[in-house]
Amino acid sequence: MEFLPVDQLNVDQRVIEVIKSRGITKLNPVQSEAVKKGLLEGRRLLVTTPTGSGKTLIAELGMISRILDEGGKAVYVTPLRALTSEKFATLKDWERLNLKVGMSSGDYDTDDEWLRDYDIVVTTYEKLDSLWRHRPSWLKEVTYYVLDELHYLNDSERGPVVESVAVRAKKRNLLALSATVSNYKEIASWLNAEPIATNWRPVPLKEGVILEDKKGCTVIFQDNTVLTLRGSDAITSYTLHVVKNGGQVLVFRNSRKTAETTAKKLAVAMEEVDLNDKELLEVSKKFKEVEDGGEGERELLSELALRGVAFHHAGLSKGLRDVIEASFRERKLKVIVATPTLAAGVNLPARAVIVGDIYRFNRRLIGYQEELSVMEYKQMSGRAGRPGFDEYGESLIVVRDRKNVERVMKKYILSDPEPIESKLGNESSFYKFVLGLLASEGTLSEEELMDFVNQTLLDKEIARNYFQSGIEWLNENGFVEGEERLRLTTFGRRVSDLYVNPFTAKVVRDYLSGSEVGCSLAYLHLLAYTPDGPSLGVSKSEEDRLLDEVYCPLFVDEPEDYDEFYNFLSAAKVALIMNDWIDEVDEDVILQRYQIGSGDLRNLVETMDWLSYSGYHIAKVIGREDHYDNLLTLNKRVKDGIKEELIPLVQIPGVGRKRARLLYSNGIKRPEDVIMNVEKVKGLLGQKLGEKVAKEAARIIAGVR
């Protein structure tokens, strides 16, 4: 294994200084191999190595060397916003070289022309895909793409857009990164890239299973070494074993409820561990101070933190997740019990990873359970081992039946992850892909369009079949026009810019075209019922109540098919939640009433904000001004969670739903009223905030904002 001294790199001396400022004097074997294979000369590479092997620095060297040598811009693409923020923070180091680093995610109906002033742009796959559709001038200057977490090609939801981006990015210099690509030679060939594949890790990984029974727990590692622990609960026994020996633990459970229950159980068990009570009291207080979390969540996490434990899942607000992650990185919290989404979302290494379940719930399957993929397990186990703290990491799968030990060991530990395959093989994803190509490339002949399609990972015969049916469907439904050369219609262009699925656009257009105006609840239900709508679980006990509470006529009738009926109910639940939200029902009441988390509510607001925005633009392009007016008002209410009378006030930066209601209840109803009653506003909001709000109101009235 070669460790290349940083001083030997053939790069600008300032680059070496930045790397050394991080305490790095030698490149590790993976990084050294990338340099050897032509990273600094712009060679196209696919690097597939374990988590923690330094792939981000490889990306930095690739981007910076190209920008300094050739000019142009570089784009770093990630699948998740959390990762985008994480990479942006790391890349800010390069501003010491007078390079500007920018970040953009979300807000799909914009070209972000302001990014023309930046040398490095960090973004998500979805945002980059939408930017190509808007064709900002600065994108022509991009000469280098980094495609991070490329294994998301295999993700059923995000895979199609990752593949769409890869098809267009591979026309430029690129660097693709992943921890888990078993068919890396095939993927490298598809990308026209040189593969670098190695199992080298900075911290070696010991994998095994832990078998629980009434007599105790037995750990069986891959190398056949055995460890016996007291206690009949595997997760508790091994967690205590690791923490007592100075380590931290990530426990993965298959549901939010199980994660929370496990965290409570571990907190009780941690009573026998000597912890730093002063540090944990500080963490506990931070949970109580988080503004965007639900009261119940804050109280529970605050209590668990006193014993060094927390739970983590997508239902929590960003503020709560930030406290959990920061406290774990600082080694104050000792244990996090999480759902598998954490494995890919953030960089949180631990001494040990415990995979508590190999099954997860899937209501579409008979029996409602399916096994985790090998790739998902590899993502979780990859978090084991903290560089600089641990000599090795440990990853254990809990097995509750001795007969399954050999099978689990063979499937998850001794096998490679599943090969990456195209996820464009369905009508919804493929038609959106074709629409995006026409938006980004302009007018194309069928042959030119098919050339792009042939660059996907799809089987050529399958691709041809989807192509023919796709062109026919898009034409028949008014998205494209033309015979010899295809182009987007006005409707197709607007739908593409909005970044909604064409099937979503068709549903909204068809219902709005044939219906009179409806109440807010009806619009919310329609938008939630589209393919882009958010999905929520609906329990048996909720079904009748949801139907009873949908008090106004809906655009969509109850379907007879069970799956569609379930989707109908899910959309009804989303609509009722959002209707409470825009009626200014207290957030904690909403969370309790519908048994959702604060993070769920934030995600629903964000998605329904986008869909209501798209809805009123679709209404406008089809000439239904009556629906347009209603949807425009609805969008403004969804964005801030307000009744209609507060819309003028929430235009003022710093004034949200609660402050707007306080001002309105005291006779301050418009920005003009703020200016006329500055002292009253200060008395209501406080001196400092009141002054700021008054200044912002003045700017609005003056037309500055």
Side-chain angles (χ1 to χ4, degrees):
M1 293 188 294
E2 182 179 5
F3 287 82
L4 181 67
V6 170
D7 286 326
Q8 293 183 16
L9 290 175
N10 185 24
V11 293
D12 189 303
Q13 184 61 34
R14 293 174 300 167
V15 175
I16 294 174
E17 289 172 1
V18 170
I19 297 173
K20 282 186 171 182
S21 72
R22 299 175 181 174
I24 301 171
T25 58
K26 293 181 179 180
L27 298 187
N28 69 35
V30 178
Q31 297 159 346
S32 301
E33 181 68 10
V35 171
K36 184 179 177 181
K37 289 285 182 69
L39 174 71
L40 303 181
E41 290 74 47
R43 185 75 179 271
R44 302 160 66 87
L45 300 174
L46 166 64
V47 180
T48 171
T49 58
T51 300
S53 55
K55 292 188 288 292
T56 300
L57 181 55
I58 294 174
E60 293 175 89
L61 287 171
M63 290 188 294
I64 300 303
S65 60
R66 290 302 87 216
I67 292 172
L68 294 181
D69 289 352
E70 300 176 354
K73 300 179 185 295
V75 174
Y76 193 114
V77 201
T78 83
L80 303 169
R81 290 189 188 182
L83 283 174
T84 299
S85 299
E86 190 176 291
K87 301 304 178 185
F88 173 70
T90 300
L91 291 168
K92 291 287 282 184
D93 279 358
W94 300 102
E95 293 189 340
R96 290 163 56 181
L97 277 64
N98 296 319
L99 299 175
K100 293 187 69 176
V101 182
M103 178 176 69
S104 180
S105 61
D107 194 7
Y108 298 127
D109 191 23
T110 175
D111 62 7
D112 281 1
E113 190 60 44
W114 59 274
L115 288 170
R116 66 181 179 275
D117 297 326
Y118 290 80
D119 304 288
I120 300 173
V121 175
V122 193
T123 188
T124 61
Y125 284 98
E126 286 84 1
K127 179 62 178 179
L128 178 57
D129 191 30
S130 84
L131 284 171
W132 265 319
R133 295 166 185 237
H134 286 84
R135 293 188 276 186
S137 59
W138 62 267
L139 269 178
K140 297 176 183 177
E141 300 174 36
V142 177
T143 58
Y144 198 87
Y145 288 97
V146 176
L147 308 183
D148 201 2
E149 306 285 347
L150 191 71
H151 56 272
Y152 266 83
L153 279 164
N154 248 19
D155 184 85
S156 58
E157 291 187 15
R158 287 193 163 91
V161 71
V162 175
E163 189 168 350
S164 299
V165 167
V167 164
R168 278 170 283 189
K170 66 181 186 174
K171 292 186 174 184
R172 297 281 190 271
N173 287 334
L174 69 78
L175 170 68
L177 306 171
S178 178
T180 46
V181 181
S182 58
N183 57 332
Y184 64 87
K185 291 182 180 178
E186 176 189 349
I187 301 303
S189 175
W190 173 61
L191 293 172
N192 301 315
E194 175 84 9
I196 297 175
T198 173
N199 290 323
W200 184 87
R201 286 173 52 99
V203 181
L205 178 63
K206 291 178 63 176
E207 296 178 86
V209 299
I210 179 166
L211 178 67
E212 58 181 29
D213 56 41
K214 295 178 181 178
K215 297 179 181 178
C217 297
T218 305
V219 179
I220 307 170
F221 286 108
Q222 180 184 353
D223 60 4
N224 291 322
T225 57
V226 175
L227 175 66
T228 302
L229 300 172
R230 63 184 179 87
S232 59
D233 183 82
I235 293 174
T236 302
S237 296
Y238 205 74
T239 296
L240 292 177
H241 169 74
V242 174
V243 174
K244 286 178 179 179
N245 284 280
Q248 291 172 283
V249 183
L250 285 176
V251 180
F252 290 103
R253 300 307 311 261
N254 62 0
S255 73
R256 297 179 184 181
K257 184 176 181 180
T258 311
E260 293 183 17
T261 302
T262 303
K264 294 175 187 176
K265 187 175 182 178
L266 287 172
V268 173
M270 290 281 284
E271 292 287 346
E272 63 182 80
V273 181
D274 186 23
L275 300 170
N276 188 322
D277 293 337
K278 183 179 179 180
E279 282 187 348
L280 293 178
L281 183 60
E282 292 174 359
V283 176
S284 179
K285 289 179 179 177
K286 286 181 181 179
F287 281 124
K288 290 183 178 180
E289 294 166 357
V290 172
E291 293 185 359
D292 65 351
E295 183 180 357
E297 297 165 336
R298 295 197 306 267
E299 287 299 320
L300 179 53
L301 284 166
S302 178
E303 183 181 334
L304 294 173
L306 294 172
R307 300 312 310 153
V309 179
F311 58 87
H312 187 296
H313 54 63
L316 295 177
S317 69
K318 184 179 184 301
L320 290 172
R321 295 198 307 269
D322 286 346
V323 173
I324 293 167
E325 292 161 18
S327 302
F328 195 76
R329 287 193 185 100
E330 293 164 0
R331 304 186 71 198
K332 294 175 182 176
L333 286 177
K334 304 303 178 185
V335 184
I336 295 179
V337 188
T339 51
T341 51
L342 179 66
V346 289
N347 180 27
L348 281 184
R351 162 84 61 80
V353 165
I354 301 174
V355 180
D357 314 275
I358 58 171
Y359 295 97
R360 63 157 164 245
F361 174 81
N362 185 337
R363 70 174 183 84
R364 296 185 182 278
L365 294 178
I366 297 174
Y368 297 107
Q369 285 192 333
E370 64 180 349
E371 283 196 339
L372 291 175
S373 68
V374 179
M375 184 176 290
E376 287 171 305
Y377 164 71
K378 297 297 184 186
Q379 285 293 309
M380 289 185 269
S381 65
R383 300 296 167 194
R386 302 162 303 176
F389 292 106
D390 300 320
E391 294 182 5
Y392 57 84
E394 303 160 318
S395 174
L396 297 180
I397 302 172
V398 177
V399 179
R400 296 175 175 87
D401 186 342
R402 188 174 292 275
K403 292 183 293 186
N404 272 329
V405 169
E406 186 176 345
R407 185 185 73 82
V408 169
M409 186 83 78
K410 183 177 180 181
K411 176 176 179 177
Y412 291 103
I413 298 173
L414 302 178
S415 300
D416 291 326
E418 298 80 5
I420 285 178
E421 298 176 341
S422 177
K423 291 295 181 287
L424 280 171
N426 62 75
E427 291 177 341
S428 181
S429 298
F430 191 87
Y431 295 2
K432 186 175 182 180
F433 170 62
V434 171
L435 201 67
L437 287 173
L438 286 169
S440 59
E441 302 299 326
T443 304
L444 294 171
S445 68
E446 287 197 20
E447 290 75 20
E448 290 169 333
L449 198 52
M450 193 63 201
D451 283 342
F452 278 99
V453 173
N454 283 331
Q455 292 177 45
T456 69
L457 277 169
L458 270 176
D459 173 83
K460 296 296 184 285
E461 185 63 31
I462 293 174
R464 275 194 295 272
N465 291 337
Y466 274 115
F467 180 77
Q468 292 304 322
S469 63
I471 295 300
E472 184 177 330
W473 187 89
L474 291 168
N475 201 309
E476 288 177 353
N477 287 282
F479 292 92
V480 302
E481 60 187 4
E483 295 182 3
E484 291 188 5
R485 297 187 69 78
L486 298 170
R487 59 185 174 273
L488 295 180
T489 62
T490 302
F491 177 66
R493 163 55 67 182
R494 196 70 197 98
V495 170
S496 178
D497 285 349
L498 291 167
Y499 204 63
V500 292
N501 190 291
F503 285 91
T504 290
K506 182 182 185 305
V507 168
V508 174
R509 182 193 61 188
D510 290 353
Y511 279 110
L512 295 184
S513 297
S515 305
E516 298 303 315
V517 296
C519 68
S520 296
L521 190 63
Y523 287 114
L524 291 167
H525 183 264
L526 170 62
L527 296 169
Y529 191 61
T530 63
D532 283 317
S535 180
L536 288 178
V538 177
S539 65
K540 285 288 183 183
S541 61
E542 285 183 299
E543 291 185 7
D544 291 337
R545 180 173 66 83
L546 289 174
L547 293 175
D548 289 341
E549 291 182 4
V550 178
Y551 53 80
C552 70
L554 301 177
F555 293 115
V556 184
D557 295 326
E558 290 182 31
E560 294 183 2
D561 177 77
Y562 174 75
D563 277 345
E564 277 308 305
F565 180 64
Y566 186 90
N567 293 336
F568 178 91
L569 285 175
S570 172
K573 185 173 181 178
V574 172
L576 288 166
I577 291 170
M578 295 311 300
N579 207 54
D580 280 357
W581 169 250
I582 63 176
D583 277 345
E584 299 179 37
V585 174
D586 183 84
E587 290 184 40
D588 284 316
V589 173
I590 295 175
L591 302 187
Q592 183 63 33
R593 180 178 293 170
Y594 298 98
Q595 291 298 291
I596 60 173
S598 54
D600 294 320
L601 181 57
R602 295 284 173 272
N603 291 334
L604 289 177
V605 169
E606 185 175 308
T607 302
M608 295 303 286
D609 177 22
W610 165 53
L611 287 175
S612 55
Y613 174 87
S614 300
Y616 80 73
H617 279 284
I618 290 172
K620 186 174 184 178
V621 82
I622 65 174
R624 288 298 303 262
E625 298 295 332
D626 49 351
H627 287 305
Y628 171 85
D629 291 338
N630 283 354
L631 284 163
L632 176 59
T633 299
L634 180 65
N635 175 249
K636 292 177 179 178
R637 294 179 64 195
V638 166
K639 188 177 183 66
D640 291 287
I642 53 171
K643 294 180 180 179
E644 188 171 350
E645 68 258 27
L646 296 188
I647 290 175
L649 283 174
V650 296
Q651 296 177 68
I652 306 171
V655 177
R657 67 196 310 243
K658 292 183 179 180
R659 288 170 182 162
R661 178 52 62 193
L662 176 63
L663 293 171
Y664 191 92
S665 298
N666 284 274
I668 312 293
K669 300 182 178 182
R670 300 169 301 160
E672 292 84 352
D673 296 335
V674 172
I675 301 304
M676 298 297 293
N677 299 275
V678 175
E679 291 305 317
K680 186 175 183 180
V681 171
K682 289 180 184 178
L684 291 168
L685 301 182
Q687 185 76 17
K688 190 174 181 181
L689 179 59
E691 287 181 1
K692 181 180 178 182
V693 167
K695 288 179 182 178
E696 295 291 357
R699 288 167 63 86
I700 290 174
I701 295 170
V704 176
R705 301 185 73 89

